[in-house]
Amino acid sequence: MKNFKNVTILDHPLISHKIAILRSVDTHTKDFRELVEEITMLLTYEAFKNVPTQEVEVQTPLEKCKQQMVAENSIAVVPVLRAGLGMVAGVHTLFPTAKVGHIGMYRDEQTLQPQEYYCKLPDGIEKMRAIVLDPMLATGGSASAAIDLLKSKGCKDIHQMSIIAAPEGVERLATAHPDVHIFVAVLDRCLNENGYILPGLGDAGDRLFGTK
């Protein structure tokens, strides 16, 4: 895969450790959900490095000081339904005031193309940084379509956060949206003939919600 300036792949032993457990067929729904939240927290730490900030004055027990804080109403997370919902709590643990929008996408099993079925976004999202949450970046179709939708709503500052990605999906998304910074916890080998990531972890939505 080419090197893209707008792609960050995290390389950290804690992430590797947690993803090893996440992948396992023996990891059940409760543990799977908690691991997704924990890995999302680590992704959030990286993705929030250059969020908009503002200077505030704080009274400590000893004196007043100037301090930088994340600017109010500057962040919105947008999970792609349904698997992206599993990442929201991980972001909110570190930054609980982030607004939340929702985009519903499903992948047509025959064409593998994304189909939109729902969109509800916070008011003023076009002035915020919108962070798309989708644990699996496979073909890149759903993520690219979600970002197209956000751009059509006026969003100009967009990030993408995924836990596991295939090279095909990263390349497609990075090429289609060079202005979007993509954060990925781990890059896997490839897609299979059905568009699933290998070695992957199966269907993230089913494993998060115990539906299969």
Side-chain angles (χ1 to χ4, degrees):
M1 189 187 80
K2 292 165 53 180
N3 288 324
F4 293 95
K5 292 182 179 179
N6 60 325
V7 177
T8 297
I9 299 172
L10 277 64
D11 181 16
H12 195 287
L14 275 179
I15 289 178
S16 179
H17 175 84
K18 291 178 183 299
I19 286 179
I21 305 170
L22 193 71
R23 291 190 194 277
S24 174
V25 70
D26 295 322
T27 298
H28 297 295
T29 299
K30 178 180 180 293
D31 293 333
F32 189 93
R33 189 181 301 120
E34 290 173 353
L35 285 161
V36 166
E37 292 179 11
E38 291 166 3
I39 295 166
T40 301
M41 288 173 59
L42 296 171
L43 279 166
T44 300
Y45 179 81
E46 183 69 25
F48 271 51
K49 276 186 175 179
N50 65 343
V51 294
T53 60
Q54 61 187 24
E55 186 176 73
V56 298
E57 186 175 74
V58 179
Q59 176 67 60
T60 81
L62 300 177
E63 63 180 23
K64 290 182 179 179
C65 68
K66 302 292 186 181
Q67 185 70 46
Q68 294 294 321
M69 293 184 67
V70 177
E72 188 175 355
N73 293 322
S74 63
I75 302 294
V77 293
V78 185
V80 178
L81 303 178
R82 63 182 167 142
L85 291 173
M87 299 177 71
V88 174
V91 177
H92 273 163
T93 297
L94 294 185
F95 192 65
T97 59
K99 300 292 192 294
V100 182
H102 299 87
I103 293 177
M105 294 275 181
Y106 71 91
R107 185 172 62 171
D108 186 286
E109 296 297 330
Q110 300 301 317
T111 66
L112 303 184
Q113 296 304 306
Q115 304 293 323
E116 177 197 339
Y117 66 89
Y118 183 77
C119 180
K120 180 69 172 178
L121 302 173
D123 291 338
I125 193 172
E126 70 279 359
K127 299 176 183 177
M128 305 177 191
R129 170 165 296 173
I131 304 177
V132 178
L133 306 179
D134 196 352
M136 309 295 284
L137 181 56
T139 66
S142 294
S144 187
I147 290 169
D148 283 336
L149 180 59
L150 287 173
K151 287 183 174 180
S152 75
K153 302 295 185 181
C155 295
K156 297 178 176 62
D157 186 3
I158 304 173
H159 284 183
Q160 162 84 22
M161 282 173 38
S162 294
I163 293 176
I164 292 181
E168 297 92 330
V170 172
E171 186 162 354
R172 176 176 179 177
L173 187 59
T175 301
H177 297 285
D179 56 331
V180 173
H181 201 124
I182 303 161
F183 294 88
V184 174
V186 65
L187 185 68
D188 271 11
R189 187 174 76 251
C190 65
L191 297 175
N192 67 11
E193 65 277 8
N194 296 317
Y196 282 91
I197 301 173
L198 296 175
L201 47 73
D203 187 291
D206 284 338
R207 298 194 66 186
L208 276 165
F209 301 111
T211 51
K212 200 169 185 178

